[in-house]
Amino acid sequence: MLALLAAGLALAVAAAAAQDGPAPGSRFVCTALPPEAARAGCPLPAAPEEELRAAVLQLRETVVRQKETLGAQREAIRELTAKLARCEGLAGGKDTMGDLPRDPGHLVEQLGRSLQALKDRLESLEHQLRGNVSSAALPPGDFQRRLGELERQLLRKVAELEDEKSLLHNETSAHRQKTESTLNALLQRVSELERGNSAFKSPDAFKVSLPLRTNYLYGKVKKTLPELYAFTICLWLRSSASPGIGTPFSYAVPGQANEIVLIEWGNNPIELLINDKVAQLPLFVSDGKWHHICVTWTTRDGLWEAFQDGEKLGTGENLAPWHPIKPGGVLILGQEQDAVGGRFDATQAFVGELSQFNIWDRVLRAQEIANIANCSTNLPGNVIPWVDGNVDVFGGASKWPAETCEERLLDL
């Protein structure tokens, strides 16, 4: 009975409150009612079906997006946690992130702190690696400074080595040139001392000595020949070389190294070459005594003559007939030229002494040649005269004072 009275009182109070409106600061209390009560007199407010369906769809989409966001955040947390674990394994440090909260409200702030901690740890690892490379705990500035100093020292050392290499090459070349210059000066001085003075009694009172069979001892006549249609060449020579005395003289022009050559090579007789054409001469001079030799030639029919000690020993023709001797060549004493002024062959070198080498542009008469040979007349060549200033010597060849006529008397 009391329970019925309490229930009735509560209903009466609620009905009064509903009629008067809610008092300020009051709250509604919702109480679930059974369906029978709703059917009996408390119907629910009606809502449009479309609005309810839209609200359900919106709530469903919101739930799906929230699930996707949470899934992405969980995946990011797992990746960052794995990276941090690898970095901690390399550095041997402790966990700086701790347990990440599961509350999405604090996730962004916590992720920012974790990323900053990861950045700091990576910088620490980079500094440690630099310290290991430098093998000492150097500050970055000292490390760069030491590295720069080592690089500069290496560059200086390389430059010093290059300078030493260049200096050594220059010193070697300079030393070789100085040695050659000193030897030439000594040879010249010895020659002057042995002569007693630097001048001969007369310009033609000298001889050229070629003591060795080499390809670098020779004399060179400074003057060259004009175009010749005839010539006479005379000289004094002394040689005991065997086999063959070699080449007393040779004249070469561009295109023809054997324009005029007198040669005794090996066991062959003495030969006269004109424009590379050959005539054998019946001369015999390799007895170690002074002999006067003359050869004449004319382009007309290629006529030639050979004289020894003033006596004609041979004559012939058809030696380069109608060929003029070409001008502007090089005249060498003691060597046969395979090229103009060079390419000497030691096996063809003259060994002995030469003097009174003269050239005329005509065929001398037999009596003129005999007078020269017996020293009864002095007839210098009108094309090439034998004078000291017209002959240079090279490679150890030397010029000595000589009176060939007097020395020839000593040989008798």
Side-chain angles (χ1 to χ4, degrees):
M1 193 64 162
L2 291 174
L4 292 174
L5 287 175
L9 181 61
L11 290 173
V13 172
Q19 293 177 358
D20 297 338
S26 64
R27 294 184 300 175
F28 289 103
V29 178
C30 295
T31 304
L33 297 177
E36 293 80 5
R39 285 192 299 268
C42 297
L44 294 173
E49 184 178 358
E50 291 79 3
E51 293 181 2
L52 292 175
R53 187 175 298 171
V56 170
L57 292 175
Q58 185 177 1
L59 288 173
R60 185 177 295 171
E61 291 176 359
T62 302
V63 171
V64 171
R65 286 197 298 271
Q66 186 69 20
K67 287 183 178 179
E68 292 177 353
T69 302
L70 290 175
Q73 290 174 348
R74 287 191 184 120
E75 183 66 24
I77 291 171
R78 282 195 295 270
E79 291 179 359
L80 291 174
T81 303
K83 291 180 180 180
L84 182 58
R86 286 196 297 270
C87 292
E88 288 175 346
L90 292 174
K94 296 181 179 180
D95 185 9
T96 58
M97 291 182 64
D99 295 331
L100 293 177
R102 301 292 180 180
D103 186 3
H106 301 283
L107 183 61
V108 176
E109 181 181 358
Q110 187 66 34
L111 285 175
R113 289 196 298 271
S114 300
L115 290 175
Q116 184 62 39
L118 179 61
K119 181 179 178 182
D120 295 339
R121 189 167 298 281
L122 290 175
E123 291 179 355
S124 177
L125 287 173
E126 184 179 2
H127 287 302
Q128 289 180 10
L129 291 175
R130 288 183 180 179
N132 292 334
V133 171
S134 62
S135 301
L138 294 176
D142 290 344
F143 175 75
Q144 295 295 334
R145 181 176 56 81
R146 292 284 182 86
L147 185 61
E149 289 179 356
L150 290 175
E151 183 178 3
R152 287 191 294 272
Q153 291 176 4
L154 180 60
L155 291 176
R156 282 198 301 269
K157 190 63 177 176
V158 171
E160 289 175 1
L161 291 175
E162 291 292 337
D163 292 341
E164 290 178 1
K165 178 182 177 181
S166 176
L167 183 61
L168 180 61
H169 175 72
N170 294 335
E171 287 180 351
T172 302
S173 300
H175 180 69
R176 183 171 61 252
Q177 293 176 359
K178 184 178 180 181
T179 301
E180 292 177 356
S181 177
T182 302
L183 287 175
N184 289 332
L186 286 174
L187 287 172
Q188 185 67 25
R189 182 58 179 164
V190 169
S191 298
E192 292 176 358
L193 291 175
E194 290 175 338
R195 288 198 302 263
N197 52 40
S198 59
F200 304 114
K201 293 180 180 179
S202 62
D204 65 341
F206 72 99
K207 62 184 177 182
V208 173
S209 177
L210 303 163
L212 300 174
R213 194 183 293 276
T214 70
N215 62 351
Y216 55 84
L217 273 76
Y218 65 99
K220 181 178 180 181
V221 178
K222 294 180 181 180
K223 293 184 64 176
T224 186
L225 298 181
E227 187 175 49
L228 297 176
Y229 298 92
F231 65 76
T232 299
I233 301 176
C234 293
L235 72 153
W236 287 91
L237 61 83
R238 178 167 64 180
S239 177
S240 59
S242 179
I245 64 171
T247 307
F249 68 87
S250 64
Y251 176 69
V253 296
Q256 181 52 266
N258 295 327
E259 187 70 1
I260 307 175
V261 181
L262 184 67
I263 184 173
E264 184 182 52
W265 186 23
N267 295 317
N268 299 317
I270 295 179
E271 296 176 339
L272 176 64
L273 282 71
I274 305 292
N275 192 31
D276 209 27
K277 306 301 187 293
V278 182
Q280 293 184 345
L281 309 182
L283 306 178
F284 307 94
V285 295
S286 59
D287 57 0
K289 297 181 180 180
W290 280 106
H291 293 282
H292 188 260
I293 300 298
C294 283
V295 292
T296 69
W297 173 85
T298 177
T299 187
R300 183 176 180 177
D301 296 327
L303 295 173
W304 61 269
E305 297 174 317
F307 295 79
Q308 179 174 331
D309 298 330
E311 182 182 357
K312 183 190 292 186
L313 298 182
T315 185
E317 61 181 1
N318 203 32
L319 177 59
W322 313 108
H323 169 76
I325 301 301
K326 297 177 182 178
V330 175
L331 192 54
I332 296 293
L333 303 178
Q335 296 284 353
E336 192 272 337
Q337 306 172 65
D338 287 334
V340 178
R343 288 185 60 186
F344 305 143
D345 185 348
T347 63
Q348 298 174 340
F350 174 80
V351 180
E353 296 173 321
L354 301 173
S355 185
Q356 297 297 323
F357 179 82
N358 291 274
I359 300 179
W360 296 263
D361 59 358
R362 62 183 179 89
V363 176
L364 294 184
R365 298 188 303 271
Q367 187 58 49
E368 290 177 309
I369 294 174
N371 292 338
I372 297 172
N374 61 30
C375 300
S376 62
T377 185
N378 183 20
L379 185 63
N382 66 337
V383 177
I384 300 294
W386 182 252
V387 291
D388 181 21
N390 193 34
V391 178
D392 289 332
V393 292
F394 300 91
S398 57
K399 292 192 286 186
W400 297 73
E403 293 288 348
T404 51
C405 289
E406 296 178 3
E407 292 187 11
R408 179 173 178 270
L409 292 176
L410 299 175
D411 292 336
L412 296 178

